[in-house]
Amino acid sequence: MKQITKLLSWKKLKEHSADISKTTIAELFVHDSKRFERFSIHLGDMLFDYSKNPITKDTIRLLHNLAEDCDLMRKIESMFIGDKINFTEKRAVLHTALRNTKGKPVKMDGRDVMPQIRAVLTHMRHFVESVHSGEWTGCSGKKITDVVNIGIGGSDLGPAMVCSALEPYSNFGIKTHFISNIDGTHITETLKIINPETTLFIISSKTFTTQETITNANTAKQWFLKKIAKHEKDIAKHFIAISTNEKAVKKFGIDPRNMFVFWDWVGGRYSLWSAIGMSVALQIGMDNFEAMLHGACEMDTHFRNEPFEKNIPVIMALLGIWHTNFLGKCSHAVIPYDQYLFKLPDYLQQLDMESNGKRVNADGEQVSHSTSPVIWGNAGTNAQHSFFQLMHQGTQVIPVDFLAATQSHNDIGEHHKILLSNYFAQTEALMMGKSESEAREELEEQGLSAEELDTLLPHKVFPGNRPSNSFLYKKLTPAMLGAILAMYEHKVFVQGAIWNINSFDQWGVELGKQLAKQILPELEGKSTVTTHDSSTNGLINYYKKNR
Ligand code: F6P
């Protein structure tokens, strides 16, 4: 395929971006009384409003043309039917099969993958229910009360985020903890607050070779053996593994009967739906875990079947491309006005930036356009009191996703109304801003002297015209969360498909890992290190002198 920047649809969008820049989003509302209806979509219990973006009907038509020129429809189907679209690793990308609760066959290399997926779900259910019922106990016969997931990246961020998000569904007396960082502080502080007799460790690693995870898992094993185990075999009651690598799991000392498998066609950052979700299932129960899969499956059906103009992930992706490639925005904030989703931005950082942080296209050429923006964010209203200043008056314009529930799990006093008034206010303030004359009027009402007014005035102006998407969902249920996460996954997929990059490999994380392995032995002993550049040598030698 030729570079996308050479496509006619790309060139037309470039021309169109110059026209759009002559107007403001607020003006577009003035000229179109139906703008909200035109640029919003209802799907089940969710409303997606994208009208506060610098777009017109023409923008959307041109973006759809781009999607068609990039063969998006075929690419979407190609993922769902198990083509090996992760071409650098020669793998299919079938996380959608993991939540194919409708049960239709999904073939990969001519074989239906659904029976093995269902078998693991049954294995998980049996295990989760035996822990909940107390049939499964620790080695001293006590019920499990604490679950510690040891994993990193996709083997941590998804389950950790979901466990926080679905806290209201934790009805089984299980508290979940997450250890990811190789920094000994992480495991030390966690081990301080758990009782080895009632703790289950889940070693979550697709490869079972990740340095951080295996080091943390060994430390946990030694701690457990030292604290309570009478025999090595007691480990079987306290350590289970989630992996694709049975050999390494056995070598670590975990009974393969306590291993829950997944497959190389599940990318690490897309693995939450597999047995990697074990900590989630233990915390909220298997029925709720499956409800989450079902919610994601509903979003998959929507994504696969709806025409582009009604397809939420496609529209989100195209808007992102519009901002990134045509309006020059290089970051994107996600602000959930839902405390339960405070870990969502962290999770989306890996999903988006590990997937689309690429600079070479499918033909091995360097792309001539930007790819993934920097994804970041935090929960509202906290974020308003930290970085929103920059979003309102800084020199960069940052497109934002605002998410909120219409019904709170904790509807106490005025809290939810106040939360939502802020949610609505921020999207409006970012778009409308405050003009110089409005700011002047306000200052005049305060009875300031002319000099004071002139000094303050420029600081009180908000340029506005700052875009946002708004998502309002009824309640953060397991199904709704599943749908939201699948929606973001598909947004990332569409952007990768249009940019013609491989969203499913992550070679970029390798170089640092390789170098760390070389440096580790150099940290032994007292000899001065001279094998690197002078800065790296200097830093290593300073550490060696000062440790
Ligand atoms: O470092 C990148 C990465 O491979 C991620 O893609 C992955 O989610 C993480 O490491 C953990 O990998 P694993 O599950 O194999 O331990």
Side-chain angles (χ1 to χ4, degrees), residues 152-155 205-207 210 268-269 350 354 506 509 513:
I152 198 164
S155 300
S205 175
K206 179 175 171 180
T207 53
T210 304
R269 53 195 171 274
Q350 187 200 15
E354 195 169 71
Q506 57 284 318
V509 298
K513 285 188 197 171

Side-chain angles (χ1 to χ4, degrees), residues 1-18 59 61-70 317-318 320-328 367-372 494-500:
M1 183 180 152
K2 61 177 164 185
Q3 284 265 4
I4 50 168
T5 48
K6 302 256 165 15
L7 294 171
L8 183 63
S9 48
W10 187 278
K11 289 183 186 146
K12 294 251 177 218
L13 278 160
K14 269 268 169 242
E15 286 163 20
H16 180 64
S17 64
T59 323
R61 178 179 50 78
L62 292 170
L63 286 165
H64 288 166
N65 291 348
L66 174 67
E68 273 154 27
D69 286 353
C70 295
L318 292 175
I321 285 176
W322 178 233
H323 287 300
T324 305
N325 298 121
F326 299 98
L327 304 177
V367 296
S368 52
H369 52 82
S370 298
T371 57
S372 175
V494 170
Q495 294 189 334
I498 290 179
W499 287 326
N500 194 26

Side-chain angles (χ1 to χ4, degrees), residues 233-251:
K233 72 172 173 32
D234 290 342
I235 286 176
K237 288 299 207 175
H238 293 267
F239 284 80
I240 64 168
I242 319 293
S243 188
T244 59
N245 185 348
E246 189 172 334
K247 219 165 127 200
V249 168
K250 251 197 210 154
K251 195 165 158 233

Side-chain angles (χ1 to χ4, degrees), residues 121-140:
L121 282 170
T122 306
H123 189 193
M124 281 176 77
R125 179 175 281 280
H126 182 254
F127 179 74
V128 167
E129 289 179 352
S130 70
V131 171
H132 289 167
S133 68
E135 184 193 326
W136 178 287
T137 63
C139 59
S140 59

